[in-house]
């Protein structure tokens, strides 16, 4: 049976921006706007859909670390960096003249591009060419790959990456798609979700928990490089008590392999009309 257009997977990418705090690794997270139809109000990592402009041929020549990447993986990395800039103001890019990371002073001069990039009024390739920049595709470490379960009204094919945030970049939410932001230790994010003061959806929670196994950003990146990324597409099934659950593969390396279906039922809002 052929799938309808509504069943098509939407390619998306997200970055776990990391830094080392006084008590260990911290990750930057944003709170999604309540009017967004997927994970509204939830604490998530900056990220979003791959844009057709991310795939333009001239983009590849302005991305470090693009060698050997197929078009799918390449577009994921471009989208991840672009979305992080749009949603948090952190830009993983280098000057093509000096080879050095964009510093805080230069970043401030590039701030006005965030909204046009988000609206598709300027493509990432044109932005890089105008400003003499190269994306740091080589700064991203693959961390996870999740596909939204088939019963959801909107399905994403999402790649998660790790990256250390430049020390002098001030991460701030965009005020539209995201309405709040925080640097937070994984253990604190999980505790707040457990207490009901934060909403964290299942895939995000699993990846926050996995990140929390590392005491530092460097350790998290080293650990991710040392293990294969196993694609997770949760399957609807029943547990031993006959209750419906989402089940994920043991090989993915998370602490649990199933989640009650009732806990994930309201991630996506029903389609209007």
């Amino acid at each position: 049976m052929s799938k309808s257009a509504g069943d098509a997977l939407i390619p998306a990418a997200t970055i776990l921006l990391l830094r080392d705090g006084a008590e260990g690794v911290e990750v930057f997270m944003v709170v999604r706007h309540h009017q967004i139809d997927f994970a509204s109000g939830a604490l998530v990592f900056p990220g979003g859909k791959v844009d057709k402009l991310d795939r333009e041929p001239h983009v590849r020549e302005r991305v470090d670390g693009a060698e050997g990447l197929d078009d799918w993986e390449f577009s994921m990395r471009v989208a991840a960096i672009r979305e992080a800039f749009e949603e948090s103001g952190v830009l993983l890019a280098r000057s093509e003249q000096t080879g050095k990371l964009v510093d805080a002073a230069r970043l401030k001069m590039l701030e006005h591009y965030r909204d046009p990039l988000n609206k598709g009024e300027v493509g990432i390739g044109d932005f890089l060419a105008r400003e003499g920049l190269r994306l740091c595709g080589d700064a991203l470490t693959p961390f996870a790959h999740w596909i939204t379960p088939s019963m959801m009204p909107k399905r994403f094919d999402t790649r998660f990456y790790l990256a250390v945030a430049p020390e002098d970049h001030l991460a701030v939410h965009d005020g539209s798609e995201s309405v709040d932001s925080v640097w937070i230790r994984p253990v604190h994010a999980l505790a707040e979700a457990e207490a009901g003061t934060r909403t964290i959806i299942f895939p995000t929670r699993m990846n926050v928990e996995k990140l929390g196994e590392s005491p530092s950003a460097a350790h998290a990146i080293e650990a991710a490089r040392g293990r294969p990324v196993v694609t997770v597409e949760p399957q609807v099934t029943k547990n031993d008590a006959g209750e419906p659950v989402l089940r994920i593969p043991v090989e993915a390396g998370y602490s649990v392999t199933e989640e009650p279906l009732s806990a994930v039922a309201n991630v996506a809002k029903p389609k209007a009309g």
Side-chain angles (χ1 to χ4, degrees), residues 53-230:
L53 298 177
D54 297 336
R55 300 190 178 103
E56 290 186 320
H58 66 287
V59 176
R60 186 177 279 268
E61 65 192 33
R62 290 191 169 275
V63 179
D64 293 330
E67 302 81 6
L69 300 180
D70 60 29
D71 289 343
W72 182 85
E73 174 69 20
F74 173 77
S75 66
M76 289 283 188
R77 295 196 185 207
V78 172
I81 295 174
R82 174 184 53 75
E83 287 282 345
F85 179 47
E86 292 173 13
E87 291 195 10
S88 72
V90 172
L91 179 59
L92 299 175
R94 302 181 178 100
S95 164
E96 64 179 355
Q97 291 186 330
T98 67
K100 295 182 179 179
L101 285 173
V102 168
D103 61 19
R106 182 75 193 284
L107 186 64
K108 188 173 182 180
M109 297 172 63
L110 300 171
E111 173 78 15
H112 67 280
Y113 279 102
R114 289 173 67 185
D115 191 51
L117 281 166
N118 182 45
K119 293 178 178 176
E121 296 171 354
V122 60
I124 188 68
D126 290 340
F127 161 62
L128 297 172
R130 289 181 197 175
E131 297 297 331
L133 299 173
R134 301 183 61 81
L135 294 186
C136 302
D138 54 343
L140 303 187
T141 298
F143 185 66
H145 179 209
W146 283 64
I147 296 175
T148 309
S150 59
M151 83 289 188
M152 302 300 285
K154 183 178 286 188
R155 301 186 66 210
F156 294 90
D157 183 345
T158 305
R159 177 73 101 163
F160 294 75
Y161 298 94
L162 300 181
V164 175
E167 290 185 5
D168 61 347
H169 287 207
L170 180 63
V172 180
H173 55 279
D174 64 5
S176 56
E177 290 188 18
S178 55
V179 294
D180 194 8
S181 58
V182 63
W183 282 100
I184 192 167
R185 290 189 64 208
V187 65
H188 292 160
L190 296 170
E192 291 181 17
E194 182 68 23
T197 57
R198 300 275 191 187
T199 298
I200 303 182
I201 63 174
F202 183 48
T204 307
R205 195 179 84 237
M206 290 296 93
N207 286 305
V208 167
E209 187 175 286
K210 182 178 282 190
L211 174 64
E213 296 171 1
S214 294
S216 67
H219 184 280
I221 290 171
E222 183 179 2
R225 288 174 176 167
R227 63 177 176 249
V229 173
V230 175

